[in-house]
Amino acid sequence: MRRTLALLALLAGLSLAQMPAYPENTLGLGYAPDRGVYLQGSLLLPFAPLGIDTGLDAQVLLTPSPEVYALLKANLFPGLVLMDLYTSLGLGLDLRYPFGAHLGPLVSLEIPGGALSGSLGLGYQGGFHLAWGVGFRLYLEPLALEASASDRYPFLLTLLYLW
């Protein structure tokens, strides 16, 4: 019985070690100079039986008139390599309040000590709308510092806690 438990613990550890850079479990605060303070987090979703890693990213603008952003993502090609750098390609569904919805590709490229990421989406927000986002994340385990820009804000600096 002990051998079986040890083998299961080893297999669980190896499977967790194979998780891609995105999605991740995070929680943090961000600041956009023209918008204010954002509460930001992300969470792995338990849809691994489908054979893909899935996650949810969320941001809430902490003002009297809040804005909420949620990105459901599926990491479709987690094991790509570009010039010896780990690359991930996925699909995201971006949902926003006030109402907006976009669907499009997500890409991340791990570089030593960090990651570059980008997203693009077509959808609706008060009419036909193109959503986009780019970001850089510097890992300072268990913290990360993220600088990003998107169609929602020109610049956002976020400090995240990773677990």
Side-chain angles (χ1 to χ4, degrees):
M1 184 67 173
R2 283 189 230 171
R3 289 184 197 142
T4 304
L5 288 176
L7 180 61
L8 289 175
L10 176 65
L11 291 174
L14 289 175
S15 68
L16 289 175
Q18 297 302 312
M19 288 290 192
Y22 297 102
E24 295 177 313
N25 290 323
T26 67
L27 183 61
L29 285 174
Y31 178 73
D34 62 333
R35 305 291 297 216
V37 177
Y38 282 87
L39 177 62
Q40 180 173 324
S42 59
L43 185 64
L44 291 166
L45 294 178
F47 298 125
L50 297 175
I52 56 175
D53 294 320
T54 55
L56 171 69
D57 289 356
Q59 286 181 333
V60 177
L61 178 61
L62 301 176
T63 62
S65 57
E67 293 179 7
V68 179
Y69 168 79
L71 176 65
L72 296 163
K73 55 188 175 180
N75 197 9
L76 301 177
F77 298 101
L80 300 175
V81 177
L82 178 66
M83 299 182 323
D84 294 334
L85 299 173
Y86 171 80
T87 305
S88 174
L89 183 62
L91 183 66
L93 174 61
D94 161 356
L95 302 171
R96 303 173 182 198
Y97 174 82
F99 180 73
H102 305 86
L103 182 66
L106 307 169
V107 64
S108 66
L109 175 70
E110 281 195 17
I111 57 175
L116 296 169
S117 61
S119 66
L120 192 63
L122 292 175
Y124 178 86
Q125 185 164 349
F128 179 75
H129 188 255
L130 176 67
W132 61 272
V134 294
F136 172 72
R137 188 175 283 183
L138 177 65
Y139 290 104
L140 310 163
E141 297 291 339
L143 300 175
L145 185 62
E146 182 177 83
S148 61
S150 76
D151 62 302
R152 296 177 295 120
Y153 46 77
F155 178 74
L156 177 69
L157 187 62
T158 307
L159 182 63
L160 296 165
Y161 174 72
L162 307 160
W163 76 89

